[in-house]
C-alpha cells in the first residue's frame, strides 16, 4: 500500500469528483467522515464558487478531501460544425422553450484563478482532468503540502503524469460514467478505451506512481479486484451519485435503476467530448451528429438539459452513468463507505481462504 494517498483515508475508497452538482459539499464531507476520500468537483464553477464549497466542506468534516480541476482546453473545434449542430438542436430549443447557450465562454474553466486559490489556501489533494499540469504547477502545490492526482486513460498519459512529478494517477477505464478524462480529444479513438483491469495492469508495469482505479466499480469485491491488479485505491462515481447527500437531480438518481434505461453508451451529444451516459432519446437522436467541440457543445446544450430536468423529462437530460449503474444502492454516503469496506474485507478473507 502506497503512502502517497492511503495515509489520508482508512479505507481505500475515493468518491469521484462528479461535475455538474453531484459532488457537493455534503457528499464530499460524508465520505471523508466515514473514512474514504471525498472529492469536490470544481468543474463548471467559478473560482469563488469553488472556494465557498471548500469552506462548507471544512465546516462539515475535519477529514482530508480533494478538489478536482479541469485543465484548459485547446481550440480544436470546427466552428462550422458547431453551427450545424446548433441548427440541428433548434427543435429541442423549441420543445423545451429554452434558448441554446453561448458557445464563446472560454476554454479554461477559470483554471488559473482556481489554482491561485488552492495555492493560497491549500487542500490535501488536488486532481486534474482533461490533461496534465506542468511540473511547475505540481511542484508549487507540493510546496504547500498538497498531493496531486492526474486522471489518465492510457499508458502514455500516465507516463506524462510521472514526468510532471504528479503524486499519483487516477486510471480511468472505459467503463466509467461521465466524461472520459483523455488528455487529447481525438474522434478517431472514441471507442478505443481499455477496460479498467487491463489498463491498471498496463499502467502498473509502465510507471512507478500510486494508482487510483476508476470505472464501473460498484461493489467491495470489485475494489478487491483492482487492488489485486495493482491499484492502491478505488474511485467510485455512479455508486455515490444515488446517495441522499449527492446533489444530482432526483430524476438522474432514479434513472440508474429504472428499467426504461437498459444500457450506457459513450456520446458527444451533450458536451462535445466522449462521456458515458444512459441511452435516452436525446443521446440516440443527436449522438451520431455531435461534433468534437468541448466545452462549446456543453455550453450550447446546458439550457436544454436544465429545462428538461425542470420539466421532469429524463429523455432530454445527460444521465451520466457507469456500466455498473444497475448495481446502485441508495444508501447514505457514509453507510455506503462502510458497506463497501465490509465487502472488501470479506472478499480479501475469501481470497486468503482460497489460497490456504
Amino acid at each position: 500500500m502506497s503512502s502517497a494517498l492511503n495515509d489520508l483515508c482508512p479505507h481505500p475508497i475515493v468518491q469521484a469528483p462528479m461535475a455538474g452538482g453531484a459532488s457537493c459539499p455534503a457528499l464530499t464531507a460524508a465520505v471523508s467522515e466515514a473514512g474514504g476520500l471525498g472529492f469536490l468537483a470544481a468543474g463548471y464553477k467559478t473560482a469563488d464558487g469553488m472556494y465557498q464549497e471548500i469552506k462548507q466542506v471544512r465546516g462539515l468534516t475535519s477529514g482530508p478531501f480533494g478538489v478536482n480541476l479541469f485543465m484548459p482546453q485547446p481550440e480544436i473545434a470546427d466552428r462550422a460544425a458547431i453551427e450545424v449542430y446548433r441548427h440541428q438542436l433548434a427543435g429541442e430549443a423549441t420543445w423545451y422553450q429554452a434558448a441554446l447557450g453561448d458557445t464563446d465562454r472560454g476554454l479554461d474553466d477559470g483554471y488559473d484563478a482556481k489554482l491561485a486559490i488552492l495555492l493560497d489556501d491549500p487542500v490535501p489533494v488536488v486532481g486534474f482532468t482533461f490533461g496534465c499540469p506542468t511540473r511547475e504547477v505540481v511542484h508549487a502545490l507540493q510546496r504547500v503540502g498538497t498531493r496531486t492526482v492526474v486522471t489518465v486513460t492510457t499508458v502514455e498519459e500516465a507516463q506524462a503524469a510521472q514526468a510532471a512529478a504528479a503524486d499519483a494517477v487516477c486510471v480511468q477505464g472505459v467503463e466509467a460514467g461521465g466524461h472520459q478524462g483523455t488528455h487529447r480529444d481525438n474522434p478517431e479513438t472514441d471507442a478505443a478505451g481499455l477496460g479498467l483491469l487491463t489498463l491498471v495492469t498496463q499502467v502498473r508495469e509502465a510507471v512507478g506512481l500510486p494508482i487510483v482505479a476508476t470505472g464501473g466499480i460498484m461493489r467491495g469485491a470489485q475494489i478487491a479486484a483492482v487492488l489485486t491488479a495493482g491499484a492502491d485505491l478505488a474511485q467510485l462515481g455512479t455508486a455515490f451519485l444515488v446517495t441522499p447527500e449527492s446533489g444530482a437531480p432526483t430524476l438522474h438518481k432514479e434513472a440508474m435503476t429504472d428499467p426504461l434505461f437498459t444500457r450506457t453508451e459513450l456520446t458527444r451529444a451533450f458536451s462535445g467530448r466522449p462521456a458515458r451516459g444512459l441511452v435516452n432519446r436525446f443521446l440516440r437522436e443527436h449522438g451520431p451528429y455531435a461534433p468534437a467541440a468541448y466545452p462549446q457543445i456543453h455550453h450550447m446544450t446546458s439550457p436544454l438539459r436544465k429545462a428538461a430536468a425542470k420539466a421532469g423529462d429524463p429523455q432530454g437530460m445527460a444521465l451520466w452513468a457507469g456500466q455498473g449503474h444497475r448495481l446502485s444502492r441508495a444508501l447514505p454516503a457514509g453507510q455506503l463507505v462502510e458497506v463497501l469496506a465490509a465487502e472488501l474485507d470479506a472478499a480479501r478473507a475469501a481470497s486468503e481462504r482460497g489460497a490456504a
Side-chain angles (χ1 to χ4, degrees):
M1 298 287 282
S2 166
S3 62
L5 292 175
N6 290 102
D7 61 350
L8 292 178
C9 47
H11 304 306
I13 297 169
V14 181
Q15 164 250 312
M18 297 171 282
S23 296
C24 58
L27 176 59
T28 303
V31 172
S32 291
E33 277 289 287
L37 181 63
F39 249 97
L40 281 176
Y44 309 136
K45 295 183 177 75
T46 64
D48 183 64
M50 176 197 75
Y51 181 56
Q52 295 304 319
E53 291 201 347
I54 290 172
K55 291 200 295 184
Q56 291 178 49
V57 173
R58 287 171 171 157
L60 294 170
T61 181
S62 59
F65 64 96
V67 175
N68 189 66
L69 302 179
F70 285 170
M71 292 295 297
Q73 297 300 289
E75 177 63 83
I76 63 168
D78 181 335
R79 291 288 170 178
I82 292 175
E83 289 310 306
V84 169
Y85 197 57
R86 178 181 290 275
H87 178 74
Q88 179 176 329
L89 296 182
E92 300 282 353
T94 300
W95 176 258
Y96 289 113
Q97 298 182 333
L100 294 171
D102 178 13
T103 57
D104 295 317
R105 293 179 54 186
L107 302 171
D108 66 355
D109 196 51
Y111 176 78
D112 289 337
K114 292 172 183 176
L115 187 60
I117 289 173
L118 293 169
L119 288 170
D120 182 64
D121 191 2
V123 298
V125 184
V126 169
F128 298 88
T129 299
F130 300 151
C132 185
T134 64
R135 177 180 281 261
E136 291 72 23
V137 165
V138 170
H139 283 166
L141 287 165
Q142 290 168 340
R143 282 195 295 270
V144 297
T146 296
R147 308 178 203 197
T148 55
V149 183
V150 178
T151 299
V152 302
T153 62
T154 66
V155 168
E156 292 74 21
E157 291 172 356
Q159 290 170 330
Q162 181 166 263
D167 292 297
V169 287
C170 179
V171 175
Q172 184 192 45
V174 74
E175 305 96 331
H179 285 95
Q180 291 286 295
T182 53
H183 292 190
R184 297 182 185 277
D185 186 12
N186 183 355
E188 295 181 2
T189 61
D190 274 3
L194 289 175
L196 180 58
L197 287 175
T198 297
L199 186 57
V200 165
T201 303
Q202 289 188 358
V203 171
R204 176 77 291 148
E205 294 183 1
V207 302
L209 296 177
I211 291 174
V212 180
T214 189
I217 301 173
M218 302 293 288
R219 295 287 189 267
Q222 292 172 296
I223 297 174
V226 295
L227 297 183
T228 300
D232 299 277
L233 300 97
Q235 178 174 284
L236 295 79
T238 303
F240 285 106
L241 185 144
V242 300
T243 62
E245 295 89 346
S246 161
T250 300
L251 284 173
H252 193 166
K253 294 180 181 182
E254 292 174 345
M256 293 299 104
T257 52
D258 188 333
L260 183 64
F261 303 106
T262 60
R263 63 187 180 89
T264 64
E265 190 175 291
L266 288 174
T267 185
R268 294 179 182 271
F270 298 101
S271 73
R273 230 183 191 276
R276 184 173 297 282
L278 299 176
V279 176
N280 60 4
R281 179 194 59 79
F282 195 102
L283 189 155
R284 286 193 302 269
E285 292 183 1
H286 302 294
Y289 311 105
Y294 176 87
Q296 292 90 342
I297 302 304
H298 163 79
H299 294 314
M300 182 189 293
T301 67
S302 180
L304 299 180
R305 290 179 275 124
K306 291 177 181 177
K310 185 176 181 179
D313 181 12
Q315 296 295 340
M317 298 168 60
L319 301 174
W320 302 139
Q323 288 183 342
H325 65 94
R326 300 304 291 272
L327 297 171
S328 296
R329 298 177 286 198
L331 300 172
Q335 183 181 349
L336 179 58
V337 171
E338 294 171 358
V339 168
L340 289 166
E343 292 174 345
L344 169 60
D345 289 342
R348 284 171 161 168
S351 178
E352 290 172 1
R353 288 195 300 270

